[in-house]
Amino acid sequence: ARGLPPDLKRNVISFVASPQVISTFGDSVASLSHGVEQLRVLKGGHSRRVTDVKFFPDGEKVVTTGSDGFAVIWSAMTGRLLVRVEHTDGHATAIAKIIQADVCLSGERLLTIASDRRVVIWAAQTGRALQVLDFTHYGRHRFAKFLAGGRVVTGASYEFQDPTVIWSAEDGRVLYELRPGDDNVRSIAVSPCLTRLATVGATTAFLWDPATGRQLMRTNVGISWVHGVSLSEGGERMFIVALSSGKEHRADKVIVFSTAEMVHEFAINMVSPILAVQALPSTGRLVIFCEDATVVAEASTGAKLLTLEASE
């Protein structure tokens, strides 16, 4: 990792933290924001399993969520707990397991999506609840993310024909319902510049304009099982994590589509099961997180540039 340009190194480390340390540390999280040599354990914020971890855009803070119903904002530099908020259920009578969190580009707002079928938008500085998005009648959404223009997208319920929904983060209104046709939505991705949205189901992948709710492209992906999806900086390429034929629930390849014509360009095959894939903003590169290694690849060709073994 020391050989990487400084801007790429920060991106790699911030993304590596999310899929790799959650299951390893249980109720604790390791912050790697300022170099692998300065591993910092964030402990004491959760009483149950940590479910998600995200770096703030400036790389100086981290938010973690847990099955205990709390979201915690930490200093990535000191490990100090800064803000702690509780996502109770709609009647404030039970613990709502938080599935994931997201931070807006300015770092001023945080959202949590939980098992009570609600998204809560918080002021990151104070922990004050600003808005609640109740998607009860849309199914069990598992994904939520900020979009450009003060909007939020929720979806990925796995249920047949459940829509992906775009909301106003300001007043909680539903702006668009993106329908998957005769399919379900298993995975959702937003491009790093927040101008393109991808939804992938059992058989079909869609590309959307989240500003208008307009469908831009669709294609039959022909994949036995979709494990995840990511988009390049401007949404020019879609990276779908999938299983090879005959491999049961062990994603081992990244299928790359050109979104201009929704054509299959190439596949990146991995030996180890893939946990997640993420395009790195402004670099033209892709990070593939596997069980025993992390691989940096060229997004346009699939060429593997760097492999970080777990033992390192």
XYZ file of all heavy atoms in Angstrom, residues 226-283:
433
model
N -26.726 -12.672 -8.154
C -26.066 -11.375 -8.043
C -25.714 -11.125 -6.588
O -26.577 -11.183 -5.713
C -26.980 -10.252 -8.565
C -26.346 -8.883 -8.300
C -27.239 -10.434 -10.051
N -24.452 -10.827 -6.331
C -23.985 -10.600 -4.963
C -23.812 -9.124 -4.659
O -23.819 -8.722 -3.492
C -22.655 -11.338 -4.757
C -22.170 -11.332 -3.349
N -22.729 -12.102 -2.361
C -21.176 -10.624 -2.745
C -22.096 -11.899 -1.213
N -21.160 -11.002 -1.417
N -23.663 -8.295 -5.673
C -23.464 -6.869 -5.446
C -23.252 -6.145 -6.757
O -23.062 -6.761 -7.798
N -23.277 -4.809 -6.712
C -23.071 -4.008 -7.920
C -22.415 -2.693 -7.527
O -22.591 -2.192 -6.407
C -24.418 -3.762 -8.655
C -25.371 -2.947 -7.781
C -24.204 -3.089 -9.990
N -21.633 -2.141 -8.437
C -20.999 -0.841 -8.247
C -20.976 -0.137 -9.589
O -21.044 -0.778 -10.641
C -19.581 -1.004 -7.696
O -18.978 0.265 -7.443
N -20.884 1.206 -9.567
C -20.804 2.006 -10.779
C -19.521 2.819 -10.786
O -19.024 3.228 -9.740
C -21.994 2.967 -10.872
C -23.351 2.381 -11.271
C -24.438 3.436 -11.105
C -23.338 1.870 -12.705
N -18.999 3.077 -11.990
C -17.821 3.929 -12.123
C -18.190 5.378 -11.839
O -19.363 5.715 -11.649
C -17.228 3.785 -13.527
O -18.177 4.198 -14.500
N -17.197 6.260 -11.839
C -17.374 7.659 -11.432
C -18.568 8.326 -12.108
O -19.431 8.892 -11.455
C -16.091 8.446 -11.742
C -16.166 9.941 -11.464
C -16.040 10.270 -9.988
O -15.690 9.381 -9.211
O -16.294 11.425 -9.629
N -18.629 8.260 -13.439
C -19.729 8.890 -14.156
C -20.824 7.929 -14.572
O -21.722 8.297 -15.319
N -20.735 6.685 -14.093
C -21.728 5.692 -14.453
C -21.498 5.049 -15.804
O -22.390 4.394 -16.344
N -20.289 5.186 -16.364
C -20.020 4.613 -17.689
C -19.926 3.101 -17.670
O -20.187 2.440 -18.682
C -18.709 5.177 -18.260
C -18.656 6.691 -18.384
C -18.148 7.355 -17.110
O -17.912 6.616 -16.118
O -17.999 8.586 -17.107
N -19.546 2.552 -16.524
C -19.435 1.105 -16.404
C -20.154 0.619 -15.155
O -20.169 1.286 -14.127
C -17.968 0.653 -16.359
C -17.264 0.734 -17.698
C -15.859 0.152 -17.634
N -15.280 0.048 -18.955
C -14.647 1.052 -19.576
N -14.503 2.210 -18.961
N -14.157 0.884 -20.791
N -20.732 -0.565 -15.283
C -21.415 -1.220 -14.181
C -20.648 -2.489 -13.844
O -20.327 -3.282 -14.728
C -22.860 -1.564 -14.578
C -23.688 -2.182 -13.466
S -25.344 -2.711 -14.054
C -26.022 -1.166 -14.644
N -20.334 -2.677 -12.558
C -19.564 -3.826 -12.107
C -20.469 -4.710 -11.251
O -20.869 -4.319 -10.154
C -18.347 -3.374 -11.302
C -17.528 -2.316 -11.988
C -17.656 -0.974 -11.642
C -16.653 -2.645 -13.005
C -16.924 0.005 -12.268
C -15.906 -1.663 -13.653
C -16.046 -0.345 -13.281
N -20.790 -5.895 -11.755
C -21.704 -6.795 -11.061
C -20.926 -7.964 -10.479
O -20.212 -8.660 -11.203
C -22.801 -7.315 -12.007
C -23.619 -6.140 -12.562
C -23.717 -8.297 -11.288
C -24.672 -6.548 -13.574
N -21.026 -8.144 -9.167
C -20.395 -9.289 -8.505
C -21.332 -10.478 -8.638
O -22.504 -10.408 -8.262
C -20.116 -8.994 -7.029
C -19.437 -10.180 -6.365
C -19.252 -7.741 -6.897
N -20.816 -11.577 -9.182
C -21.690 -12.703 -9.500
C -20.998 -14.032 -9.238
O -19.799 -14.097 -8.950
C -22.117 -12.632 -10.966
N -21.787 -15.083 -9.328
C -21.289 -16.446 -9.164
C -21.076 -17.078 -10.523
O -21.873 -16.886 -11.447
C -22.299 -17.317 -8.391
C -22.363 -17.197 -6.874
C -22.913 -15.852 -6.459
C -23.225 -18.309 -6.310
N -19.997 -17.847 -10.634
C -19.831 -18.673 -11.817
C -20.829 -19.819 -11.768
O -21.331 -20.186 -10.708
C -18.404 -19.236 -11.896
O -17.471 -18.194 -12.053
N -21.113 -20.382 -12.891
C -22.065 -21.493 -12.964
C -21.605 -22.642 -12.082
O -20.444 -23.058 -12.109
C -22.194 -21.979 -14.413
O -23.070 -23.066 -14.490
N -22.502 -23.146 -11.249
C -22.186 -24.288 -10.391
C -21.588 -23.925 -9.052
O -21.399 -24.775 -8.204
N -21.277 -22.652 -8.841
C -20.705 -22.222 -7.559
C -21.845 -21.754 -6.659
O -22.494 -20.747 -6.935
C -19.718 -21.086 -7.780
C -18.582 -21.454 -8.722
C -17.327 -21.690 -7.951
C -16.171 -21.982 -8.904
N -14.889 -21.853 -8.251
N -22.077 -22.452 -5.586
C -23.223 -22.148 -4.740
C -22.886 -21.082 -3.701
O -22.113 -21.315 -2.775
C -23.724 -23.412 -4.044
C -24.986 -23.180 -3.241
C -25.546 -24.465 -2.655
O -24.970 -25.537 -2.916
O -26.533 -24.383 -1.929
N -23.470 -19.884 -3.885
C -23.355 -18.768 -2.923
C -21.903 -18.399 -2.618
O -21.583 -18.029 -1.502
C -24.110 -19.100 -1.641
C -25.570 -19.339 -1.865
N -26.428 -18.356 -2.302
C -26.325 -20.461 -1.732
C -27.643 -18.845 -2.417
N -27.610 -20.118 -2.083
N -21.017 -18.491 -3.604
C -19.630 -18.052 -3.453
C -19.271 -17.202 -4.670
O -18.810 -17.717 -5.685
C -18.680 -19.245 -3.307
C -18.836 -19.979 -1.986
C -17.958 -21.221 -1.934
N -16.547 -20.907 -1.935
C -15.850 -20.643 -0.838
N -16.445 -20.631 0.349
N -14.566 -20.377 -0.898
N -19.562 -15.909 -4.577
C -19.307 -15.003 -5.692
C -17.820 -14.997 -6.016
O -16.982 -14.828 -5.143
C -19.780 -13.605 -5.333
N -17.486 -15.199 -7.290
C -16.070 -15.312 -7.633
C -15.695 -14.581 -8.918
O -14.620 -14.789 -9.468
C -15.668 -16.792 -7.756
C -16.401 -17.511 -8.880
O -17.365 -16.939 -9.429
O -16.001 -18.635 -9.218
N -16.564 -13.695 -9.418
C -16.187 -12.923 -10.592
C -16.922 -11.596 -10.616
O -17.997 -11.432 -10.021
C -16.466 -13.701 -11.881
C -17.929 -13.976 -12.168
C -18.070 -14.731 -13.484
C -19.533 -15.091 -13.771
N -19.658 -15.829 -15.031
N -16.303 -10.626 -11.286
C -16.905 -9.315 -11.499
C -17.180 -9.177 -12.986
O -16.264 -9.249 -13.802
C -15.977 -8.182 -11.026
C -16.628 -6.825 -11.290
C -15.644 -8.334 -9.552
N -18.444 -9.022 -13.345
C -18.832 -8.856 -14.740
C -18.958 -7.363 -15.017
O -19.647 -6.646 -14.299
C -20.156 -9.575 -15.042
C -20.014 -11.068 -14.748
C -20.579 -9.358 -16.487
C -21.296 -11.843 -14.902
N -18.290 -6.897 -16.063
C -18.228 -5.481 -16.373
C -19.084 -5.193 -17.604
O -18.892 -5.793 -18.658
C -16.779 -5.021 -16.612
C -16.733 -3.519 -16.874
C -15.900 -5.386 -15.409
N -20.039 -4.265 -17.436
C -20.901 -3.839 -18.531
C -20.597 -2.393 -18.892
O -20.354 -1.559 -18.019
C -22.383 -3.921 -18.120
C -22.953 -5.300 -18.097
C -22.834 -6.092 -16.961
C -23.615 -5.815 -19.190
C -23.365 -7.357 -16.917
C -24.150 -7.087 -19.164
C -24.025 -7.862 -18.028
N -20.626 -2.083 -20.182
C -20.631 -0.701 -20.633
C -22.068 -0.211 -20.569
O -22.958 -0.793 -21.208
C -20.104 -0.599 -22.064
O -20.388 0.674 -22.606
N -22.327 0.845 -19.811
C -23.704 1.313 -19.659
C -24.173 2.129 -20.856
O -25.364 2.409 -20.980
C -23.855 2.154 -18.382
O -22.957 3.263 -18.430
C -23.561 1.312 -17.152
N -23.263 2.515 -21.750
C -23.673 3.265 -22.941
C -24.586 2.420 -23.821
O -25.572 2.901 -24.366
C -22.446 3.726 -23.720
N -24.245 1.134 -23.949
C -25.050 0.234 -24.779
C -25.487 -1.004 -24.010
O -26.109 -1.894 -24.564
C -24.253 -0.187 -26.013
C -23.845 0.979 -26.901
C -22.987 0.540 -28.064
O -22.605 -0.652 -28.107
O -22.703 1.379 -28.932
N -25.159 -1.056 -22.726
C -25.459 -2.202 -21.872
C -24.948 -3.501 -22.490
O -25.676 -4.485 -22.631
C -26.954 -2.297 -21.585
C -27.396 -1.443 -20.402
S -26.574 -1.911 -18.869
C -27.593 -1.074 -17.663
N -23.672 -3.482 -22.887
C -23.055 -4.686 -23.446
C -22.010 -5.198 -22.472
O -21.328 -4.429 -21.786
C -22.417 -4.418 -24.827
C -23.493 -4.085 -25.839
C -21.373 -3.307 -24.752
N -21.877 -6.517 -22.412
C -20.895 -7.179 -21.555
C -19.512 -6.980 -22.160
O -19.238 -7.426 -23.264
C -21.267 -8.660 -21.463
C -20.307 -9.466 -20.652
N -20.315 -10.830 -20.616
C -19.293 -9.096 -19.832
C -19.362 -11.275 -19.830
N -18.724 -10.236 -19.348
N -18.627 -6.289 -21.428
C -17.283 -6.027 -21.937
C -16.305 -7.144 -21.592
O -15.621 -7.677 -22.453
C -16.765 -4.702 -21.372
C -17.474 -3.488 -21.943
C -16.764 -2.201 -21.566
O -16.438 -2.015 -20.376
O -16.540 -1.391 -22.472
N -16.210 -7.479 -20.308
C -15.286 -8.527 -19.875
C -15.628 -8.936 -18.464
O -16.486 -8.337 -17.812
C -13.822 -8.054 -19.952
C -13.541 -6.795 -19.195
C -13.215 -6.831 -17.842
C -13.600 -5.558 -19.820
C -12.963 -5.677 -17.130
C -13.343 -4.385 -19.118
C -13.026 -4.449 -17.776
N -14.950 -9.963 -17.968
C -15.142 -10.438 -16.592
C -13.788 -10.527 -15.904
O -12.768 -10.827 -16.536
C -15.835 -11.791 -16.573
N -13.783 -10.234 -14.609
C -12.579 -10.380 -13.792
C -12.820 -11.570 -12.868
O -13.698 -11.531 -12.006
C -12.309 -9.114 -12.960
C -12.260 -7.879 -13.861
C -11.008 -9.260 -12.172
C -12.174 -6.568 -13.099
N -12.073 -12.627 -13.063
C -12.254 -13.845 -12.277
C -11.320 -13.853 -11.077
O -10.152 -13.459 -11.174
C -12.000 -15.078 -13.141
C -13.023 -15.221 -14.253
O -14.204 -15.368 -13.996
N -12.573 -15.173 -15.500
N -11.850 -14.293 -9.937
C -11.087 -14.351 -8.705
C -11.106 -15.770 -8.162
O -12.090 -16.506 -8.341
C -11.671 -13.398 -7.660
C -11.828 -11.959 -8.141
S -10.275 -11.153 -8.556
C -9.509 -11.080 -6.944
N -10.027 -16.159 -7.478
C -9.955 -17.477 -6.868
C -10.721 -17.510 -5.552
O -11.459 -18.446 -5.248
C -8.486 -17.895 -6.642
C -8.427 -19.232 -5.913
C -7.745 -17.977 -7.967
N -10.569 -16.447 -4.777
C -11.211 -16.365 -3.470
C -12.604 -15.755 -3.592
O -12.848 -14.915 -4.472
C -10.352 -15.506 -2.533
O -10.964 -15.329 -1.291
N -13.553 -16.147 -2.745
C -14.892 -15.554 -2.771
C -14.835 -14.041 -2.594
O -14.101 -13.520 -1.759
C -15.606 -16.229 -1.596
C -14.897 -17.539 -1.430
C -13.473 -17.259 -1.762
N -15.656 -13.323 -3.373
C -15.695 -11.868 -3.349
C -16.723 -11.389 -2.332
O -17.856 -11.869 -2.311
C -16.033 -11.308 -4.744
C -14.978 -11.750 -5.767
C -16.129 -9.788 -4.710
C -15.335 -11.404 -7.199
N -16.318 -10.446 -1.491
C -17.220 -9.850 -0.507
C -17.921 -8.617 -1.052
O -19.100 -8.392 -0.810
C -16.449 -9.476 0.759
C -15.702 -10.609 1.465
C -14.882 -10.044 2.616
C -16.661 -11.668 1.949
N -17.182 -7.783 -1.794
C -17.746 -6.532 -2.309
C -16.822 -5.991 -3.388
O -15.672 -6.404 -3.519
C -17.912 -5.507 -1.189
N -17.353 -5.042 -4.161
C -16.557 -4.356 -5.180
C -16.895 -2.876 -5.113
O -18.029 -2.501 -4.834
C -16.838 -4.930 -6.583
C -18.299 -4.757 -6.967
C -15.941 -4.295 -7.638
N -15.888 -2.025 -5.325
C -16.115 -0.586 -5.237
C -15.223 0.146 -6.232
O -14.007 -0.080 -6.267
C -15.812 -0.087 -3.822
C -16.055 1.400 -3.627
C -17.528 1.747 -3.712
O -18.352 1.185 -2.990
N -17.868 2.657 -4.590
N -15.833 1.012 -7.061
C -15.056 1.874 -7.944
C -14.461 3.011 -7.135
O -15.128 3.578 -6.266
C -15.947 2.420 -9.055
N -13.211 3.355 -7.406
C -12.535 4.438 -6.688
C -12.729 5.743 -7.436
O -12.381 5.845 -8.617
C -11.041 4.151 -6.548
C -10.676 2.922 -5.711
C -9.171 2.775 -5.642
C -11.255 3.041 -4.317
N -13.281 6.755 -6.796
C -13.529 8.031 -7.475
C -12.256 8.644 -8.041
O -11.201 8.633 -7.406
C -14.115 8.913 -6.358
C -14.664 7.954 -5.355
C -13.755 6.759 -5.407
N -12.358 9.164 -9.267
C -11.308 9.963 -9.921
C -10.017 9.192 -10.173
O -8.967 9.812 -10.364
C -10.996 11.217 -9.084
O -12.179 11.945 -8.828
N -10.065 7.879 -10.172
C -8.845 7.104 -10.393
C -8.938 6.154 -11.584
O -7.913 5.698 -12.086
C -8.495 6.246 -9.156
O -9.535 5.286 -8.954
C -8.357 7.111 -7.913
